[in-house]
Amino acid sequence: MVLEAKDIQNNWVQFIANIDAHITGDRKQKLIGFYEKYQERVMLMPAAHKKEYHNAFPGGYVEHVNRVVRCALKQYDLWAEEGADITTFTKEELVFSAINHDLGKMGDEENESYIPQTDKWRKEKLGEDYMFNTKVPFASVPDRGLFMLQSHGIQYTFNEMLAIQTHDGLYDEANKKYLFAYMPEQKPRTCLPFIIHQADLMAARIEFEREWLPKLRGEKDSLDGQKENFTLSNNKTQSSTKNKALGNIKSAGLKNMLDNL
Ligand SMILES: [Fe+2]
């Protein structure tokens, strides 16, 4: 799947608007400043490195995060209507956790986690448009995300830490210590981790369905037709929108990556 430049631009605007609307205090500007510092990388990041995973295309990360925010807000209403104790966390904690749950996918200050695949065979046979950047030392996605927040002076609450840490639910064995507890006092004190996990699961499943169900039915990907228009060098029909969205991209590697899609 390929996003048009105007979609990448609109998704970025929505991403920043979510911070503006829901995050308060000192950390609002700090968070906006952090994301604007890394704007070029974050707005073009895929949400995964393999086509088989969800949103593994330029702009896929922000599209995914915005969907998780929307799903989390809807799940919040559902849990509230069904009687969950939503006084145990705030809506700001909910949105902060959703916005930053996958932040660790960006890599570290210097290096992106996902870079364009250089192995032709893996690209063609395994569908890997991206590969892991070996310059980035290993850390789990939640650990790296939390590290990036604290290393940029962005404070998070205990509830947010737990929600970001456990957002993969029991798909990540490391979360058993929080989610497999039988003793009441060892269970999470809020439903926030469950809401964030459900929102993430829902978003990833929807992204899988959009990408793969038409292909599995033998239909053409509805967005494939736009693929050849999505370049930085020869787009005639969308050039003004494209320039507005991507005109500030400095990285030659990213420009090449987009042009070669
Ligand atoms: Fe996610």
Side-chain angles (χ1 to χ4, degrees):
M1 212 159 100
V2 176
L3 289 180
E4 287 186 68
K6 69 175 169 40
D7 297 325
I8 292 177
Q9 169 72 14
N10 290 339
N11 290 341
W12 181 256
V13 169
Q14 184 60 53
F15 181 80
I16 297 297
N18 285 339
I19 298 174
D20 193 43
H22 293 281
I23 309 303
T24 61
D26 282 357
R27 67 178 188 166
K28 179 198 283 198
Q29 271 319 312
K30 281 188 180 171
L31 198 57
I32 290 174
F34 168 78
Y35 279 115
E36 287 182 346
K37 178 179 175 187
Y38 296 106
Q39 174 178 347
E40 186 174 293
R41 280 169 57 181
V42 175
M43 80 187 289
L44 290 173
M45 263 168 62
H49 75 294
K50 276 189 175 186
K51 278 191 180 121
E52 286 76 5
Y53 299 165
H54 63 114
N55 275 24
F57 46 79
Y61 174 84
V62 173
E63 202 215 31
H64 168 71
V65 170
N66 288 351
R67 184 172 291 105
V68 173
V69 171
R70 290 196 305 274
C71 292
L73 287 166
K74 289 171 184 168
Q75 290 277 353
Y76 175 90
D77 291 340
L78 181 61
W79 281 69
E81 281 172 29
E82 290 298 328
D85 185 354
I86 54 163
T87 65
T88 53
F89 64 97
T90 66
K91 227 169 191 177
E92 175 169 346
E93 289 179 317
L94 173 88
V95 177
F96 183 94
S97 304
I99 287 171
N100 297 297
H101 80 282
D102 269 343
L103 172 60
K105 290 182 174 177
M106 76 170 277
D108 59 22
E109 284 87 345
E110 305 298 326
N111 301 293
E112 298 157 68
S113 282
Y114 306 133
I115 55 176
Q117 177 60 264
T118 54
D119 185 320
K120 198 164 172 263
W121 186 88
R122 293 192 73 86
K123 190 173 163 75
E124 287 174 3
K125 303 293 182 199
L126 303 179
E128 294 178 357
D129 286 333
Y130 298 90
M131 61 183 184
F132 283 115
N133 185 352
T134 53
K135 288 180 183 166
V136 182
F138 175 76
S140 71
V141 168
D143 285 348
R144 189 182 301 288
L146 291 168
F147 175 79
M148 290 295 282
L149 290 172
Q150 68 81 28
S151 65
H152 288 78
I154 299 160
Q155 287 200 322
Y156 44 85
T157 66
F158 180 84
N159 282 342
E160 290 160 353
M161 177 199 72
L162 203 57
I164 291 171
Q165 190 65 252
T166 62
H167 77 264
D168 274 331
L170 289 170
Y171 286 105
D172 182 345
E173 289 211 356
N175 294 333
K176 278 187 175 177
K177 59 185 177 292
Y178 291 114
L179 305 178
F180 249 24
Y182 292 105
M183 302 296 284
E185 63 270 28
Q186 290 180 358
K187 290 177 187 287
R189 302 292 170 96
T190 83
C191 56
L192 181 61
F194 303 95
I195 295 180
I196 294 298
H197 175 50
Q198 287 186 343
D200 190 31
L201 191 70
M202 187 175 176
R205 172 65 203 188
I206 289 165
E207 287 151 15
F208 161 79
E209 292 191 1
R210 293 172 71 215
E211 173 86 24
W212 283 97
L213 292 188
K215 288 178 184 166
L216 294 172
R217 286 194 293 259
E219 299 163 9
K220 188 171 166 49
D221 184 335
S222 61
L223 291 177
D224 270 356
Q226 298 163 1
K227 202 168 182 176
E228 61 188 6
N229 286 334
F230 192 75
T231 72
L232 291 175
S233 57
N234 65 1
N235 185 319
K236 300 281 191 287
T237 57
Q238 304 164 23
S239 57
S240 61
T241 314
K242 179 189 70 185
N243 288 339
K244 186 180 164 207
L246 304 172
N248 60 349
I249 299 302
K250 299 176 199 75
S251 159
L254 281 173
K255 285 184 178 177
N256 285 339
M257 182 181 80
L258 289 164
D259 278 345
N260 288 328
L261 281 169

